[in-house]
Amino acid sequence: MTMDRSLLLISIAGERAAIASEIIRSVVELDRITPVPQAPEHIAGLAALRSRAMTVVDCRRALELPAAAEAGSLAVVVDLDEFLYALVVDAVEEVVPFDTEPNEIRADLLPGWARAALGMVETSAGPALVLDPVKLIEGPAKRKAA
Amino acid sequence: MEDLLAEFIAESRDMLEALSGEIVAWEADPADRARLDAIFRFVHTVKGNCGFFEFPRLEALSHAAEDALADVRAGRRQADQGLVSAVLAIIDRIAEIVAAIGDGGEQPDADDAPLIAALDGTAEEGPAAPAAAASTPAQRRQSATPRTIRLPVDLLDRVMSGVSDMAVARNDLARRIAQHAGETGLEAPFNRLSAILADLREAITRIRMQRIETLFSGFPRMVRDLSHELGKQVMVEIESGDVEIDREMIEVVRDPLVHLIRNAVDHGIEPPAERQAAGKREIGMLQISARQTGSEIRIGIVDDGKGIDGDKLVEKAVAAGILSAEEAKVLNARERNALICEPGLSTAKEVTAVSGRGVGMDVVRANIEKIGGSLMIDSTPGAGTRMMLNVPLTLSIVPSLTIGVGQQTFAIPRSYVEEIVRASSEEMDSAQIGGREFITVRGQRIACVGLDEILGVESTCPREARLYVLIRLVGGDLFGLAVDAIHNHEELVVKPIAPVLMACGFYVGTTQLDDGSPVPMLDVSGVARSAGMIREVKDRSLRKELRQDREDERELAPALLFRGFDGAERAVEMDSVRRIEKLPIAALRAAADGTAQAVIDGRIVPLTGLGGFKPEGEEINVFRVGEEGHERAYAYAEIVDLCEYDPTEVVRAEGRSGQRLALIGGRPVELFDAATLSATPAIFAEAQA
């Protein structure tokens, strides 16, 4: 079942995280983002991958972390239910093989990380949180409008 | 007729092609019931079509084969080799004749009688079969009518997305060529490539699409026959809005639509006498319209019949145990109407032959939901019903308008756009009423909203340079959308937008401009809803009258048609109205003697219109009339419409009340002006009685 799986190691706000590579389509440098007014805060807008539109997700905001000093343009493109999403991360490190299930996390994480994390893995490069792209795209639960 | 004939030929050919395998299998095993059924269906269809087109030879052949096969199906006869051969010979002959009709050539000159006789089983062999088979290929090669092929949809999708990718690559190439100084020698071949690509794109994108008119074209006849049968008079207005729909989708929505239309004629529109008694025109109106947005096609069926009795529905639903009395209390109007789609709940007193007992609204809704669509029902008892069918499109080309606000670009489907008016234009007039901007275009007053406001985008354009896009919603409501700029008219390939963005309620899809940049397509009704521009269903016939009046080019005066707390509709001259606003209930005071006052801008102003009504909620609608210092406020339940009347037609009612009556929408409506409102308060006692 879990043979030949691998993880893409990424870095967000100085922390190492991982995304299962089977749903990753590519890693791109976003050149232009079209903002979408009234969109949830963690959605940076729309960008194009050839003739397809991608919804750009700002992972820092999705994880309820402070914004980067300089807006990043490196994105991991994932394909979910026939929609493309560009997850903006700070850096992409490497692909590591991984063939077991992630471990349960036995500590309290920051709420954003806790919501999006599937579990923790020990990789050759050190520990990393495996993130669920679905949760990143969903973003933080909507706070009631004041 | 030409079209129908071409369709018949194409359909028969398709069936023949599909059948060829079945025939071979049936020949091998005459007892195979499934094969037998397929062949039976074919001859049956041909027979049905022939009656329509008058092809006596085809009819005789198919009829004979159908009879023989029916006997086999009913067990009256065994399918033996002789019968199989005879049937095959007939099918081959049908193929020959169909091919000849398709080519527009002579029909094969052969005697059909032996073939038909062979079916009786008296003839031992079917000698015509091989001969006929040999002659068909030659004829097929020179066919004149375009032939059809069937392709898997994903293959088409792949081709389409490939062409889109190519267009983006072409644009990239164009930019790079432009960056080169001087002649590159690439211009001519590049231009040729662009032209070919444009052509290809056009052809590819049309492949899956068919105009929705082809679906709608049969409806007027259907409504005509139906209304005759029911002794009703119905006028049908069809507006297909240049909408193109996926070929597959046409077949899927046909049945639900037919059912909804039948319902509207059967249960919605009343018999002429009943209509007359209700003060309506004898002829009922049925409007069928379509609009295309990003990922949805919206089909509206609007009638001006008796509407849906929401209370009765709720009563029945509670009685049937579908929902509890508590649940029933919190339903809004639309949810109450939606109860009509619950199995076993129909408000019609008698089941008629037309709408029948068979398929109910529950099946209609289930079928629509199965394809990811939805059905919304708005109804005003006594005035009509609006059924709105939303069906999705996985992929569509939408003729669009690209508009700009600030630095942002958006697309809107052109089918919604009625007109574009410049704020500085001579024929336009703008006014602020009750915190809402209204513009007047050729005597019609239209509520407006700025797209910048709705989306929270900063407009970079001075107010007087703005443009108003007048948008006609499905169902007829018109409103103005103020934008900074109109960029372009173009055909855009619109794709679904991610659910996380769909959830904002303002977008229906995404599209790409020529430079490859993605642009969201606005959900026009979402925008209208958020701006409070969608009102209840109104009397369609009233709008009709209004439009006709305008055509007559009489001098008309604008008026505000409103509904009071007693439920009656009245009108007030627009020129008399100083302001329309909402007041907090706390600012009202009602005395025991029926008089009331309101505090407005720090002054006590006499308030009328309440009657004995105790307002609930936080705010109440009022309009103000009269000069400064002699102001009066009038409370009302809701605005029905901004309408027009002919001042020369205003009459004064006889008797003590002395009401002024204006003709609005063909009905007499009590009309107020500033003078009647402020000078003779006694009138209100009458009016509210």
Side-chain angles (χ1 to χ4, degrees), chain B residues 451-494:
Chain B
L451 187 58
D452 54 333
E453 259 170 74
I454 297 276
L455 296 179
V457 176
E458 191 120 352
S459 161
T460 53
C461 167
R463 272 188 92 76
E464 59 278 8
R466 294 206 293 185
L467 295 163
Y468 294 90
V469 181
L470 303 189
I471 290 175
R472 173 81 65 194
L473 297 167
V474 170
D477 286 332
L478 185 69
F479 79 101
L481 191 65
V483 300
D484 289 1
I486 307 278
H487 295 316
N488 211 350
H489 284 268
E490 48 197 318
E491 309 260 306
L492 297 173
V493 175
V494 178

Side-chain angles (χ1 to χ4, degrees), chain B residues 203-275:
Chain B
I204 290 281
T205 45
R206 297 275 166 223
I207 284 180
R208 287 169 51 119
M209 297 295 163
Q210 198 166 11
R211 291 169 72 82
I212 202 164
E213 263 170 7
T214 52
L215 172 62
F216 284 1
S217 58
F219 292 159
R221 174 68 198 267
M222 185 185 97
V223 171
R224 185 194 150 275
D225 292 353
L226 200 57
S227 46
H228 267 257
E229 200 177 310
L230 295 165
K232 295 180 180 179
Q233 292 176 23
V234 184
M235 200 153 88
V236 191
E237 195 183 295
I238 299 245
E239 205 196 322
S240 56
D242 284 338
V243 169
E244 295 201 322
I245 183 168
D246 221 289
R247 283 168 214 274
E248 276 178 276
M249 201 56 87
I250 283 200
E251 291 316 310
V252 182
V253 299
R254 189 190 301 270
D255 283 354
L257 270 182
V258 164
H259 193 84
L260 292 180
I261 293 169
R262 282 171 167 270
N263 257 334
V265 176
D266 193 6
H267 301 312
I269 290 170
E270 315 89 324
E274 203 177 305
R275 289 183 65 86

Side-chain angles (χ1 to χ4, degrees), chain B residues 301-443:
Chain B
I301 299 168
V302 182
D303 69 64
D304 66 347
K306 60 175 174 275
I308 295 169
D309 190 338
D311 291 332
K312 200 182 275 175
L313 263 179
V314 169
E315 218 174 274
K316 276 191 160 184
V318 172
I322 292 169
L323 76 174
S324 71
E326 284 72 37
E327 285 171 321
K329 275 187 199 132
V330 299
L331 294 183
N332 65 28
R334 206 169 255 177
E335 287 162 346
R336 288 155 67 114
N337 292 335
L339 288 173
I340 206 164
C341 300
E342 291 298 327
L345 275 196
S346 167
T347 48
K349 282 194 204 79
E350 356 166 354
V351 174
T352 63
V354 174
S355 294
R357 210 182 268 281
V359 235
M361 288 290 287
D362 51 327
V363 179
V364 171
R365 187 177 63 176
N367 285 339
I368 294 167
E369 284 174 354
K370 212 183 287 167
I371 53 166
S374 64
L375 176 67
M376 274 190 292
I377 306 167
D378 290 310
S379 185
T380 309
T385 304
R386 169 165 71 185
M387 305 260 185
M388 192 118 83
L389 193 72
N390 291 344
V391 291
L393 266 190
T394 47
L395 190 69
S396 60
I397 309 114
V398 184
S400 314
L401 207 59
T402 44
I403 55 174
V405 177
Q407 300 303 314
Q408 295 259 55
T409 302
F410 302 97
I412 47 175
R414 203 151 62 207
S415 59
Y416 280 100
V417 178
E418 182 122 320
E419 191 179 345
I420 295 160
V421 196
R422 195 167 280 283
S424 56
S425 137
E426 293 266 308
E427 41 193 288
M428 203 200 87
D429 192 28
S430 152
Q432 197 84 15
I433 304 168
R436 163 90 72 207
E437 188 180 5
F438 282 84
I439 60 169
T440 312
V441 180
R442 286 186 298 279

Side-chain angles (χ1 to χ4, degrees), chain B residues 340-673:
Chain B
I340 206 164
C341 300
E342 291 298 327
L345 275 196
S346 167
T347 48
K349 282 194 204 79
E350 356 166 354
V351 174
T352 63
V354 174
S355 294
R357 210 182 268 281
V359 235
M361 288 290 287
D362 51 327
V363 179
V364 171
R365 187 177 63 176
N367 285 339
I368 294 167
E369 284 174 354
K370 212 183 287 167
I371 53 166
S374 64
L375 176 67
M376 274 190 292
I377 306 167
D378 290 310
S379 185
T380 309
T385 304
R386 169 165 71 185
M387 305 260 185
M388 192 118 83
L389 193 72
N390 291 344
V391 291
L393 266 190
T394 47
L395 190 69
S396 60
I397 309 114
V398 184
S400 314
L401 207 59
T402 44
I403 55 174
V405 177
Q407 300 303 314
Q408 295 259 55
T409 302
F410 302 97
I412 47 175
R414 203 151 62 207
S415 59
Y416 280 100
V417 178
E418 182 122 320
E419 191 179 345
I420 295 160
V421 196
R422 195 167 280 283
S424 56
S425 137
E426 293 266 308
E427 41 193 288
M428 203 200 87
D429 192 28
S430 152
Q432 197 84 15
I433 304 168
R436 163 90 72 207
E437 188 180 5
F438 282 84
I439 60 169
T440 312
V441 180
R442 286 186 298 279
Q444 193 180 9
R445 202 169 299 237
I446 301 157
C448 288
V449 68
L451 187 58
D452 54 333
E453 259 170 74
I454 297 276
L455 296 179
V457 176
E458 191 120 352
S459 161
T460 53
C461 167
R463 272 188 92 76
E464 59 278 8
R466 294 206 293 185
L467 295 163
Y468 294 90
V469 181
L470 303 189
I471 290 175
R472 173 81 65 194
L473 297 167
V474 170
D477 286 332
L478 185 69
F479 79 101
L481 191 65
V483 300
D484 289 1
I486 307 278
H487 295 316
N488 211 350
H489 284 268
E490 48 197 318
E491 309 260 306
L492 297 173
V493 175
V494 178
K495 296 176 182 172
I497 195 162
V500 65
L501 289 176
M502 189 82 171
C504 316
F506 291 106
Y507 309 103
V508 285
T510 67
T511 181
Q512 263 179 317
L513 301 183
D514 273 346
D515 65 355
S517 59
V519 160
M521 176 157 276
L522 290 176
D523 176 354
V524 173
S525 23
V527 167
R529 202 172 303 123
S530 125
M533 294 290 183
I534 293 187
R535 294 178 300 235
E536 287 295 296
V537 182
K538 273 166 294 177
D539 192 347
R540 275 284 303 174
S541 53
L542 181 147
R543 303 169 153 279
K544 263 290 187 269
E545 301 272 347
L546 267 180
R547 212 178 291 166
Q548 276 163 7
D549 280 356
R550 221 171 281 128
E551 280 158 14
D552 293 346
E553 287 191 20
R554 278 184 285 169
E555 264 298 305
L556 298 177
L560 183 70
L561 186 64
F562 62 91
R563 184 170 294 120
F565 290 107
D566 56 353
E569 284 183 9
R570 298 188 184 83
V572 58
E573 291 180 14
M574 208 63 201
D575 292 343
S576 309
V577 177
R578 288 183 46 145
R579 282 194 72 162
I580 298 172
E581 60 201 329
K582 283 187 193 296
L583 290 182
I585 294 293
L588 306 185
R589 177 190 169 275
D593 62 357
T595 64
Q597 294 82 32
V599 178
I600 302 174
D601 297 342
R603 284 194 311 274
I604 296 173
V605 175
L607 176 76
T608 32
L610 274 182
F613 180 79
K614 295 246 183 316
E616 285 165 16
E618 287 174 6
E619 291 183 319
I620 185 166
N621 297 314
V622 301
F623 62 79
R624 272 195 268 166
V625 297
E627 301 294 327
E628 191 96 17
H630 299 278
E631 274 186 305
R632 270 181 178 276
Y634 192 99
Y636 62 92
E638 60 172 348
I639 290 182
V640 178
D641 204 358
L642 289 160
C643 59
E644 288 166 317
Y645 68 97
D646 186 348
T648 61
E649 295 263 10
V650 173
V651 297
R652 201 168 275 279
E654 288 175 3
R656 211 160 44 86
S657 74
Q659 292 171 358
R660 294 169 73 230
L661 299 175
L663 200 60
I664 295 175
R667 293 174 302 163
V669 175
E670 185 182 354
L671 179 74
F672 296 151
D673 61 14

